[in-house]
Amino acid sequence: MTTAIQTEPKAPARERGAGEENIFRVACHIFRERGYHATSMRAISSTLGMQPAALYYYYPGKENLLFRIMESAIDALTARVLEAINPADPAPQRLRQAIGAHVTAVADHLDELGVFFQELRALSPKRREVIQAKRDRYEHIFRDILQDGVDSGELTRVDPRLAGFVILAACNWLYSWFKPDGAYRPEEIAAAFGDMLLHGLLP
Amino acid sequence: MTTAIQTEPKAPARERGAGEENIFRVACHIFRERGYHATSMRAISSTLGMQPAALYYYYPGKENLLFRIMESAIDALTARVLEAINPADPAPQRLRQAIGAHVTAVADHLDELGVFFQELRALSPKRREVIQAKRDRYEHIFRDILQDGVDSGELTRVDPRLAGFVILAACNWLYSWFKPDGAYRPEEIAAAFGDMLLHGLLP
């Protein structure tokens, strides 16, 4: 598993230069629109108006590019949510913070996270394992808050795994229907999701 | 749009014969495991131990096969949910009936619905339109119950579209984590989802 990671270029996603950033952004968009398998490196380089060789200079292969997108997506999502949570706050409030950060992250990185939620199967087993491990750690942020809240009595006695699935499903699924110019702002969605998940649908 | 439908074989999915049913089942499984684009008709016929020509006899092309799977999936899901709902019951109870039927349908047709939730993009625009229209009608079953409940005061004043997204996301996402031999039975999941969505996480 570590071998696969070591073959990736060393620079973390944050340090992409302007040229690389542009490739990354365009590739995210095309992968999300058409799907990974339906997209060739040639289609990406042609959209960018560059020679395929220039694209391969940054990303030695299509799957490497996909892996970099997925890693960047889950790293960014995790960082956003961890930054948003105040560990001193009660569990229900921390849940709202986490939901809010996830929803706005999906809205802000729609292409990147759209690819992340749709293309896991397209990765080779070793790279998929790396991403799955990161996704599991991410999901545990939510389960830990739920477990805390159940233990402290701040939340009702739900199964934190099942409750985590409901919350994450609502937040993840957003990539499939959210429109930046649509009827709902991310903050509205986050507040509505938080209200609904904490208070339920009964009056 | 009607042209695309008319090119499909006339027999509804329900009337597949034993041979066709076997092809259908195996194709669903391979598409879900490997993804539509990563699967060739040759791979399907070879798994079935049949000549590619025999496969093409039933399904004139891979996208035709995908369309038939997706149509069968959404038709079956819609039928299950409509059968489960008692129109005379109060809105909260109808929501539980719909959630229960959706959850058990995903558990019972994991491959078919897994393909349905993952491969919409792979369809040609005309066929995608047909499936999207059916999916929209399906989603409206949930939104209509929510709207009824809001109007009657049986449910809190949520936005039926946003609430529908949360409920359907929880139910749809199931395809990605449900294991037939896993820790949860479909009925348990349905009850937990119903409790959580109706009563919320606060005690």
Side-chain angles (χ1 to χ4, degrees), chain B residues 78-143:
Chain B
T78 305
R80 284 272 283 255
V81 168
L82 287 177
E83 277 161 32
I85 296 171
N86 181 351
D89 284 337
Q93 211 162 319
R94 277 182 283 148
L95 263 190
R96 278 193 187 270
Q97 291 157 355
I99 292 168
H102 186 124
V103 165
T104 53
V106 172
D108 290 347
H109 302 279
L110 204 48
D111 286 334
E112 211 169 324
L113 283 160
V115 172
F116 177 77
F117 291 123
Q118 287 181 100
E119 300 292 1
L120 190 62
R121 273 181 321 180
L123 288 175
S124 63
K126 284 190 174 180
R127 286 187 168 132
R128 198 187 309 152
E129 231 174 83
V130 176
I131 299 297
Q132 268 171 333
K134 284 174 181 271
R135 196 197 53 188
D136 289 349
R137 280 198 295 276
Y138 177 71
E139 295 186 357
H140 262 286
I141 302 173
F142 286 78
R143 280 193 212 153

Side-chain angles (χ1 to χ4, degrees), chain A residues 94-134:
Chain A
R94 276 182 284 148
L95 264 189
R96 278 192 185 271
Q97 290 158 355
I99 291 167
H102 185 124
V103 165
T104 52
V106 172
D108 290 347
H109 302 277
L110 204 48
D111 287 332
E112 210 169 326
L113 283 160
V115 172
F116 178 76
F117 290 124
Q118 288 183 100
E119 300 291 2
L120 190 61
R121 275 180 321 181
L123 287 175
S124 63
K126 286 189 172 179
R127 285 187 170 133
R128 199 187 310 153
E129 232 174 81
V130 176
I131 299 298
Q132 267 172 332
K134 283 175 183 271

Side-chain angles (χ1 to χ4, degrees), chain A residues 31-32 35 37 119 121 153-156 159 161 165-166 169 172-173 177 184 193 197-203, chain B residues 31-32 35 37 118-119 121 153-156 159 165-166 172-173 177 184 193 197-203:
Chain A
F31 281 160
R32 183 166 86 94
H37 281 290
E119 300 291 2
R121 275 180 321 181
E154 291 164 312
L155 298 176
T156 185
D159 178 324
R161 260 190 98 210
F165 282 135
V166 171
N172 293 348
W173 202 256
W177 64 267
Y184 304 99
F193 280 12
L197 293 163
L198 286 168
H199 298 284
L201 289 168
L202 294 179
Chain B
F31 281 160
R32 184 168 85 94
H37 282 290
Q118 287 181 100
E119 300 292 1
R121 273 181 321 180
E154 292 164 312
L155 298 176
T156 186
D159 179 323
F165 282 135
V166 170
N172 293 348
W173 202 255
W177 63 267
Y184 304 98
F193 281 11
L197 293 164
L198 286 168
H199 298 285
L201 289 168
L202 294 178

Side-chain angles (χ1 to χ4, degrees), chain A residues 146-165:
Chain A
L146 287 159
Q147 188 66 62
D148 273 7
V150 170
D151 291 345
S152 67
E154 291 164 312
L155 298 176
T156 185
R157 302 204 64 75
V158 287
D159 178 324
R161 260 190 98 210
L162 288 179
F165 282 135

